[in-house]
Amino acid sequence: MLNQNVSNTVAALPCTSCLRHSACLGACVQDAVGAEGENACITTMTLQRGQPLFRAGDAVDAVYIVQSGALKSRRHSYNGEEEIVAFRLPGDSVGLDAIGNREHGTEAVALCSTRVCQVPLTTLRREVHASPAVASHLLDDLGREIGQLQEHLRDERRTAQVRIAAFLLAQLQRRRRLFGAQIDRFTLPMTRIDVGRFLGLATETVSRMFTRLQTDGVIACEGNSVQVLDSTMLARLADVAESFQPLARVA
Amino acid sequence: MLNQNVSNTVAALPCTSCLRHSACLGACVQDAVGAEGENACITTMTLQRGQPLFRAGDAVDAVYIVQSGALKSRRHSYNGEEEIVAFRLPGDSVGLDAIGNREHGTEAVALCSTRVCQVPLTTLRREVHASPAVASHLLDDLGREIGQLQEHLRDERRTAQVRIAAFLLAQLQRRRRLFGAQIDRFTLPMTRIDVGRFLGLATETVSRMFTRLQTDGVIACEGNSVQVLDSTMLARLADVAESFQPLARVA
DNA sequence: ACGGGGCCTTGACCCCGATCAAGAACGGGG
DNA sequence: CCCCGTTCTTGATCGGGGTCAAGGCCCCGT
């Protein structure tokens, strides 16, 4: 039961040496501030599994970018259950959804050992005016956030199997974008419980769908390690909808 | 079957005389551009019921603000069904969800005779740099958009009755903010079909929930005109969840 | 090695809401 | 005025997935 609010601030590597430099809002801000040899505005922090980056109700004073690891953005539903709004993987911005608010409405929690870069909001605000590149990058990230939510909303109306398939496919594609073209094996940083709370499914249903995909030979998994055996089939299950051949394929 | 793409451009009233001046992104931009006596940058348009403001795939070249009437922002789900992402009422921005993209991912269609103000994107982009007020207002609107989507996502996991109750309550509160404190009667600009496609429910279910709320004495309605008889009860139904006493109240 | 607490899986049951079907009410156009 | 398409309502049926229950697994701390 990790619950400490502490987070270790460590020396930041210069943004220019970061692998994700070109797609990172923070690096963009850093460039705008000016190359003073090192990171004038960006702090790096490491979180342990279960450790919050910020909590609901905290003042909004910074935006974060995931460098490695993973987080979940969550809130509490009316009946007190955890409800996961998004998973944040390397390159993602965290905390943007609170822009325009004074307090965070969601909280971000590390799913595993995770390193994030922190960009102070004052700096971001200032550079939005000073630099068209920063403004454009910020709008892009906000647009992506909105797009993700709309996509998520669309998912909510599909069957459990389709949702799981789409989820796994998205994870796969994400890894490919991050690590290379033809990865077919990856580790899910989140539990089945988390997946359920993200997709709006009971844990048992998530589990059942995983087993079904395995018996159908679409994936193989061992714990949180997933291998996609038949990505074509996975894509078909995720997209076509209305292809409810539960287990038996039509002969 | 209205399907014309034409929209009538009419002379704009000066923003300063608009009732929603203070809360309007467009007015904010107009103020920043400078009071040249009239609206240098803002165009007003009137749409008829069924007429699109823009279509999915259209180039993103402006943001709109609803002056009167109502629209729906929609997209197509994978199986081709209409899926409603948001309803836009007076004061709402339309098209912001495409910021950061080159093409609209959703399309906006008028639900009734509707007047909107158009703010060209080039102007908006320029003023974001020039004016802190505009930048701040834009971020606020984007934050609101994100907040709405997150809220919508939360709704999707509740029972039909709760969703309908929450929807009606939101509509009521919205009218009160627009028109005055103690309104209890309003007209829904959208059909039951639209409500269903917004909430992810079958039309029949929407209809049944409306009847249930009526027989329970929570609302009275006649066509699209809704009167809230017991707003306390409505709020209770919308919030508390887990209060599934389908029809029979516990004695 | 042992105990305990998460996490995962599988089975059985049942309820909410989708779907199918049919009719009523409404509204606009000829 | 009637006709016809759309919307709304109500009933009947069925199945996807939530819920409850039980057991196995894994990891961690002692």
Side-chain angles (χ1 to χ4, degrees), chain B residues 193-223:
Chain B
I193 300 175
D194 286 332
V195 175
R197 288 180 183 169
F198 176 64
L199 295 178
L201 296 172
T203 315
E204 297 93 321
T205 307
V206 176
S207 186
R208 269 185 260 270
M209 294 306 143
F210 269 74
T211 1
R212 179 184 291 183
L213 287 173
Q214 281 181 91
T215 57
D216 282 13
V218 181
I219 63 171
C221 58
E222 200 179 312

Side-chain angles (χ1 to χ4, degrees), chain B residues 7 27 41 59 69 74 79 88 105 109 133 153 160 168 195 219 245:
Chain B
S7 50
C41 64
R74 71 178 186 189
N79 57 44
R88 312 292 184 177
V109 178
L153 212 46
L168 286 174
V195 175
I219 63 171
Q245 305 306 342

Side-chain angles (χ1 to χ4, degrees), chain A residues 6-251:
Chain A
V6 241
S7 49
N8 313 315
T9 301
V10 300
L13 291 171
C15 275
T16 44
S17 77
C18 179
L19 285 175
R20 273 172 278 284
H21 176 269
S22 63
C24 175
L25 176 63
C28 184
V29 170
Q30 180 61 40
D31 287 351
V33 167
E36 296 159 17
E38 55 199 274
N39 300 343
C41 64
I42 290 176
T43 316
T44 304
M45 305 189 307
T46 303
L47 302 173
Q48 297 309 313
R49 173 179 157 82
Q51 213 178 337
L53 181 56
F54 51 78
R55 292 204 169 279
D58 283 359
V60 180
D61 51 10
V63 163
Y64 305 84
I65 293 99
V66 184
Q67 213 179 86
S68 66
L71 300 101
K72 55 181 172 184
S73 288
R74 69 178 188 190
R75 50 160 48 188
H76 290 280
S77 70
Y78 289 117
N79 57 41
E81 288 285 299
E82 179 188 47
E83 207 172 78
I84 296 178
V85 176
F87 294 114
R88 311 292 184 178
L89 295 184
D92 286 343
S93 302
V94 189
L96 273 189
D97 54 348
I99 215 149
N101 296 50
R102 323 198 66 207
E103 292 183 358
H104 283 286
T106 60
E107 56 189 40
V109 178
L111 293 171
C112 53
S113 182
T114 296
R115 207 165 57 202
V116 299
C117 300
Q118 181 189 52
V119 182
L121 211 56
T122 51
T123 310
L124 182 61
R125 282 243 161 82
R126 172 162 39 82
E127 295 307 319
V128 162
H129 296 301
S131 153
V134 170
S136 177
H137 204 127
L138 176 61
L139 289 183
D140 282 358
D141 278 12
L142 281 167
R144 215 186 324 280
E145 182 89 14
I146 291 175
Q148 268 177 26
L149 283 170
Q150 285 184 358
E151 203 57 37
H152 195 177
L153 211 47
R154 156 146 55 178
D155 277 348
E156 294 270 334
R157 313 208 172 155
R158 310 207 258 164
T159 64
Q161 176 164 22
V162 176
R163 270 186 272 188
I164 294 288
F167 174 75
L168 286 174
L169 194 66
Q171 291 291 319
L172 176 65
Q173 286 168 346
R174 191 66 203 275
R175 307 306 159 132
R176 289 188 172 170
R177 234 175 300 131
L178 283 175
F179 301 124
Q182 282 307 326
I183 303 279
D184 70 339
R185 193 182 189 82
F186 58 91
T187 300
L188 292 174
M190 67 293 280
T191 68
R192 310 286 144 106
I193 299 175
D194 286 333
V195 175
R197 289 180 180 168
F198 176 64
L199 295 178
L201 297 172
T203 313
E204 296 92 323
T205 306
V206 176
S207 187
R208 270 185 259 269
M209 294 306 142
F210 269 74
T211 30
R212 179 184 291 184
L213 286 173
Q214 282 182 89
T215 57
D216 281 12
V218 180
I219 62 170
C221 59
E222 197 180 313
N224 286 334
S225 168
V226 177
Q227 182 177 12
V228 177
L229 300 173
D230 186 347
S231 62
T232 313
M233 187 54 154
L234 191 63
R236 194 176 314 159
L237 288 173
D239 279 342
V240 182
E242 309 317 271
S243 68
F244 307 153
Q245 306 306 344
L247 270 176
R249 335 277 180 67
V250 181

